[in-house]
Amino acid sequence: MGTYISNVQTAVLLFPLLSALLSVPYAIYQYRSYGSISLWKTFLVFSFIFYLMCAYFMVILPLPADRSIVVPGAQHPQLVPFRFMRALESGAPLDPTSPASWIAFLRRPDIYTVYFNVLLTVPFGVYLRYLFHRRWWQALVLGFALTLFFEVSQITGLFGIYEHPYRLFDVDDLITNTLGAMLGFWASIPLCHFLPDLRDVDERSIARGAAHTSFSRRLLAFGIDMAAVAAVLWLYGIVVPAGPSAASERFAVLAGSLIATFVTFMAIPVITRGQTIGHMVLRLRVVRPDGSSARGWQYIARYGLLFWVFLLLPNWVSALFPTGGVTLHAGADEVSIGATAIETVLASVYLFWLVTIALRAVLSAFKHPFVMLNGVISNTRVMSEAQVERLRAERHAQSLEEELAQNDLGASSLEDAFDSSFDAVYSDEEDAEIDAMRADE
């Protein structure tokens, strides 16, 4: 039992690292597929990953200290099915009326190895049915494939890392592990009645994504775009190396930053009509507040104000003013502002800006739109493609209703207009049938 607990502790230590590596791909998939991220489904997915880690570590750990170690009992695979049944028959007899004999029976190593092998894959069957909506025969195949992967890891010495197998390949493990997966699959049937239907969870995520564009989705897209900026800066540094002096290096950094931000945040959105690379990955778009397409100058104004005026302000100060500070002339007086004072002022401005972003991000979690000053000035917003389509559909429906009202068709809404049109067509068909009957008479 201590070995099992140690393996779980190893999984607990490594799980945060693996979760961090998988969080960005998972978030991208969820935002692209559903428009928002469900906390319940996220918990299920990452608990499934944690379960797989625990199960695999129980199979391969502890690892030998020597790559060339030879474990005599693991060199020849056990290929006789149901050999564990013989071990059961050779043990002490089991008295159904004696609790002590049951306890002694369950404590036998050959017995608890069997039921631990069964229990090992029971959660796998539950996940297959509830999370992945697999059928029974798919659970059978996938359960067998998982345990076969475990056993192949053992017989190959962890796929060649060790020169010899250090754990026994046992065909009975294939049987008991597959049995555990199927038991978990069938046991999940009553369990699913008490858990939320994941199809409903996905539908609610789609509805949320169409109604509101979350701050986290925009932040992830911004991170992807900043990675693109870093790539352009790297290419610029190769093509245009900085000069030997400190001043030329400062100007080179400023020029590279201007070019990288222009390409990533201005040129590409103009070409794609409102999408940066991050927006294309996350299915976002820069549009006007009503969802209509923005103009090219609005993209440039939006990101020019953000980067060229605000975020690159320290680069401008560093490149245009001497490192000793700035001298201001007020009539006959001169006021010298040192570099430390400038850095303090800029740090205060950016700190205040980050605080306001954090507050607006919290409000965004409560479905308040996250709007920045550069978006207000340029009259643009970042929205999901589903939200843009919804706004455009609402605007189109509103324009049709206004047209109906202007034409005085006697309909107060589109539904009334369609009903009236259907009734009129149906009446015309009835009149035509009556006329045809009269002609036949």
Side-chain angles (χ1 to χ4, degrees):
M1 183 63 67
T3 302
Y4 295 137
I5 295 176
S6 176
N7 295 340
V8 173
Q9 290 175 343
T10 304
V12 170
L13 293 175
L14 295 179
F15 177 69
L17 176 60
L18 184 60
S19 299
L21 295 176
L22 297 177
S23 59
V24 171
Y26 172 78
I28 291 174
Y29 171 78
Q30 289 295 316
Y31 282 132
R32 285 185 60 87
S33 301
Y34 306 104
S36 62
I37 297 178
S38 168
L39 293 179
W40 173 244
K41 192 171 184 180
T42 301
F43 167 76
L44 289 175
V45 170
F46 281 90
S47 65
F48 176 66
I49 295 172
F50 178 70
Y51 156 72
L52 290 180
M53 292 179 62
C54 291
Y56 195 53
F57 287 166
M58 288 183 181
V59 171
I60 67 172
L61 296 182
L63 297 175
D66 187 1
R67 289 185 64 251
S68 60
I69 189 172
V70 177
V71 179
Q75 301 309 305
H76 302 286
Q78 199 290 108
L79 302 178
V80 179
F82 302 105
R83 187 175 180 180
F84 67 91
M85 298 296 295
R86 301 177 184 176
L88 300 182
E89 297 173 356
S90 63
L94 179 64
D95 185 1
T97 62
S98 173
S101 66
W102 277 97
I103 295 175
F105 177 78
L106 294 177
R107 285 182 175 179
R108 289 173 50 184
D110 50 355
I111 297 300
Y112 69 68
T113 299
V114 172
Y115 62 72
F116 265 118
N117 281 335
V118 173
L119 292 176
L120 181 66
T121 51
V122 166
F124 187 69
V126 175
Y127 281 111
L128 286 179
R129 180 175 178 84
Y130 179 64
L131 180 58
F132 299 103
H133 307 291
R134 300 297 94 187
R135 298 181 179 180
W136 72 267
W137 62 269
Q138 293 172 321
L140 179 64
V141 172
L142 292 173
F144 179 79
L146 177 68
T147 187
L148 182 63
F149 173 74
F150 290 164
E151 298 303 313
V152 170
S153 299
Q154 294 174 338
I155 198 172
T156 59
L158 206 55
F159 300 101
I161 295 178
Y162 294 91
E163 297 179 2
H164 307 280
Y166 65 93
R167 302 288 290 269
L168 176 65
F169 178 99
D170 194 339
V171 70
D172 285 342
D173 291 347
L174 289 172
I175 298 172
T176 53
N177 289 156
T178 305
L179 174 63
M182 295 307 300
L183 290 176
F185 178 85
W186 296 117
S188 66
I189 295 177
L191 180 64
C192 290
H193 292 288
F194 300 97
L195 297 175
D197 191 335
L198 290 185
R199 295 180 179 88
D200 295 337
V201 172
D202 292 338
E203 290 178 0
R204 288 194 294 269
S205 297
I206 293 172
R208 286 196 304 269
H212 175 70
T213 303
S214 64
F215 170 77
S216 58
R217 187 175 184 178
R218 293 178 55 179
L219 181 63
L220 180 57
F222 184 78
I224 295 173
D225 289 329
M226 292 308 296
V229 169
V232 175
L233 277 174
W234 176 73
L235 292 174
Y236 177 82
I238 295 176
V239 177
V240 185
S245 64
S248 61
E249 182 178 356
R250 288 195 298 270
F251 277 105
V253 171
L254 177 59
S257 301
L258 293 174
I259 293 174
T261 52
F262 173 78
V263 171
T264 305
F265 288 96
M266 301 175 204
I268 293 179
V270 169
I271 296 172
T272 61
R273 297 182 61 82
Q275 287 187 305
T276 62
I277 296 176
H279 291 167
M280 287 185 279
V281 173
L282 274 298
R283 292 185 175 174
L284 299 174
R285 188 175 295 275
V286 177
V287 294
R288 293 175 179 173
D290 62 352
S292 59
S293 298
R295 296 184 179 275
W297 68 265
Q298 291 179 294
Y299 308 137
I300 297 175
R302 176 185 178 88
Y303 292 110
L305 290 171
L306 177 63
F307 287 98
W308 289 5
V309 175
F310 185 68
L311 293 180
L312 291 181
L313 183 59
N315 298 79
W316 285 107
V317 173
S318 176
L320 300 178
F321 297 98
T323 57
V326 179
T327 302
L328 301 179
H329 297 275
D333 299 328
E334 291 185 355
V335 179
S336 179
I337 302 177
T340 303
I342 295 175
E343 293 174 357
T344 302
V345 172
L346 291 177
S348 302
V349 170
Y350 288 123
L351 179 61
F352 176 77
W353 178 66
L354 291 175
V355 170
T356 61
I357 286 182
L359 292 176
R360 283 175 287 167
V362 172
L363 293 176
S364 176
F366 296 95
K367 305 301 182 290
H368 289 273
F370 183 88
V371 182
M372 298 179 64
L373 181 60
N374 62 324
V376 175
I377 295 175
S378 62
N379 194 33
T380 58
R381 302 290 187 271
V382 177
M383 300 182 186
S384 66
E385 293 180 348
Q387 186 178 3
V388 171
E389 292 176 0
R390 180 181 61 82
L391 291 176
R392 290 177 178 176
E394 292 176 355
R395 190 172 66 254
H396 181 64
Q398 184 178 2
S399 64
L400 288 178
E401 291 180 355
E402 292 175 354
E403 183 178 352
L404 291 173
Q406 291 175 0
N407 293 332
D408 193 19
L409 296 179
S412 59
S413 65
L414 288 178
E415 289 79 4
D416 295 340
F418 287 132
D419 292 340
S420 300
S421 176
F422 177 79
D423 293 339
V425 173
Y426 189 71
S427 299
D428 292 340
E429 292 178 352
E430 282 186 332
D431 293 341
E433 291 178 358
I434 293 172
D435 293 339
M437 292 175 63
R438 289 176 178 175
D440 293 338
E441 292 176 356

